[in-house]
Every structure is written in C-alpha cells, then in structure tokens.
Amino acid sequence: MLLGNKVAVIYGGGVISEAVATAFAREGARVFLAGRNQARLDVVAGAVGAAGGRAETAVLDALDERAVDAHADAVAAAAGSIDVSMNLISLGDVQGIPLVDMTLADFEQPVLTALRSTFLTSRAVARHMIRRGGGVVLMFGGYGDPPRGYHIGGLQVAFQAVEAFRRNLAAELGPHGVRVVTLQTSGIVDSIPADFDGRDALAAQFASATMLGRAATLADVGNMACFAASDWARTLTATAINMTCGARPD
C-alpha cells in the first residue's frame, strides 16, 4: 500500500475530504479528521470505515490558532508522527455577483479563510514533520484564469494566494525533508450538489474545456492525493500537479 504506516491529518468534512480520507485509508494510512461539523465528520469517518480503514475525528475550527496547534500536538503524541496533511475546509466564497457589485467582506472572505487556515494548519503539522525529518503538506486549488461569463468573486484570488504561500513554505521546509505540493483541478464534476441550479450545464462546461473530454472526479482527487503523499512522489515539491485533463496546458 502506498501509505502504509503513515499518519494523515485532513482538515474539513466535505466531499473532497471524504474522497481523500477514504483513499488514504485504502492505501494504509491512519487518518485523523478535523472540522467544525461533527455530523459531517461522522459521515466521512463512516466512509473511511466502509473502505476498511479507521478515522479519528475532532471538532476543530481551522482558523483557531491555539486549537490547531493543540490538535496537531495531540495527534503527534497519540500516533507518534504526522506524515501527511491536507487542508480542505470550505472557504465561504460568494459567487454569482460581479466584483463591482460585491462587498469587501464577501470578496475577502475566501482569501482570508484560505490563507489563514492554510498557514495555521501547515505550520502546526510542519513543526512535527521537521522533528522527524520528513513529511508532506498537500494543498488544493483551482487552476488558470477565471472563467468568462461567470462571477467567482475572490475564489481564484484565494487559490493564487495559497500558491504563493506554497512556494515560500516549500523553500523553507525543503532542507528538512518536508515536501509541499498542490493538487490543481479545473472543476470536479461530481462535487457539484445534485440540486445545484445549472448543475448539468456546469458539468458539461467542465468537460468541454478539457482535451480528454472529461473532468476530474472525486475519485481522481483521492488517487492523486495518495500518489503525491507517497514516496513514489518523493521528487515532487514546490510544484503543483495539473489535474485539469488538459483544460490548462503547462
């Protein structure tokens, strides 16, 4: 298994967290889940259990500095190490409103949430990774320019801010054997809620923009996260993995 005997911390309880946590468990990792909603954490933990793994949950606000540090310390003490982390909390982004009509609070919400939570969670786990001489910090984000004809507010700004932070973090953690990698997609078709207005049209837009005629799925994200976190990807740091199915050529 790719992640046998690895300890992974995943922040957030959404569908992407579920996909990654389930894949990590399938590949042998011991999974710790942290998020604000216990009900959602229980759903993710249940999916992990169904995959033959086990996930331990903790109610946690990833923007609470002391709580994030204390949780990482507790995980490291209980499991002996932290080998992998991934911040997948919701950003609270507001979409569908032109920037010229958007309030400052709505614009900066995803930017501040993404940067603060990524900084706090990465810092907390990296301190333990440095002590043991290795580890992987995974990040997640979008790719490329904002789509024409659709208003995404501060979301793409948030993704790009996290990418700038990822570069800096990788440079500082590299000498300690810690890797930092982003998984970038151009939209995950099965992450769109079934009752979302315009879901089919949006899914078709995702697929039509790709070279392969299909967009990444939640399973794809889980599988790629396993690869990126594993020793098979030990040469990858300070970079992003392009999962856009050719929508954004490098």
Side-chain angles (χ1 to χ4, degrees):
M1 293 185 285
L2 286 177
L3 303 178
N5 300 317
K6 301 287 188 182
V7 177
V9 181
I10 298 175
Y11 300 92
V15 293
I16 300 176
S17 298
E18 182 175 337
V20 173
T22 303
F24 278 1
R26 182 196 70 217
E27 293 299 329
R30 181 177 177 182
V31 179
F32 289 82
L33 301 169
R36 293 185 300 176
N37 188 319
Q38 184 64 59
R40 273 301 310 168
L41 293 176
D42 289 342
V43 170
V44 178
V48 170
R54 177 169 168 262
E56 299 175 47
T57 66
V59 175
L60 173 74
D61 183 349
L63 297 172
D64 184 331
E65 182 173 7
R66 291 184 180 178
V68 170
D69 286 344
H71 176 261
D73 292 345
V75 170
S81 67
I82 297 177
D83 302 292
V84 185
S85 80
M86 194 168 191
N87 178 26
L88 293 166
I89 72 166
S90 60
L91 303 183
D93 49 298
V94 176
Q95 300 190 26
I97 301 174
L99 290 174
V100 294
D101 296 324
M102 182 169 282
T103 66
L104 173 61
D106 284 347
F107 171 76
E108 68 182 7
Q109 170 70 27
V111 180
L112 296 178
T113 299
L115 269 182
R116 289 177 177 179
S117 64
T118 301
F119 171 77
L120 291 175
T121 57
S122 299
R123 186 186 67 177
V125 299
R127 287 169 173 169
H128 295 282
M129 293 175 178
I130 287 172
R131 293 189 188 106
R132 64 180 299 274
V136 183
V137 178
L138 296 180
M139 300 180 182
F140 184 81
Y143 197 97
D145 300 323
R148 297 184 66 179
Y150 189 77
H151 308 294
I152 62 172
L155 183 61
Q156 195 70 12
V157 178
F159 287 151
Q160 295 303 321
V162 168
E163 286 297 85
F165 173 64
R166 184 257 297 161
R167 295 182 183 95
N168 287 353
L169 187 65
E172 293 193 12
L173 296 184
H176 302 284
V178 180
R179 300 190 291 111
V180 188
V181 180
T182 303
L183 273 57
Q184 291 182 332
T185 77
S186 59
I188 306 169
V189 63
D190 51 346
S191 69
I192 308 171
D195 59 353
F196 181 81
D197 186 30
R199 182 188 191 280
D200 291 344
L202 189 57
Q205 179 182 339
F206 286 168
S208 65
T210 72
M211 294 179 183
L212 298 178
R214 55 180 170 81
T217 65
L218 290 169
D220 291 328
V221 175
N223 291 337
M224 191 60 71
C226 287
F227 166 73
S230 76
D231 292 340
W232 284 13
R234 69 190 189 95
T235 60
L236 297 182
T237 194
T239 191
I241 296 178
N242 181 340
M243 295 183 58
T244 68
C245 296
R248 302 290 179 182
D250 288 328

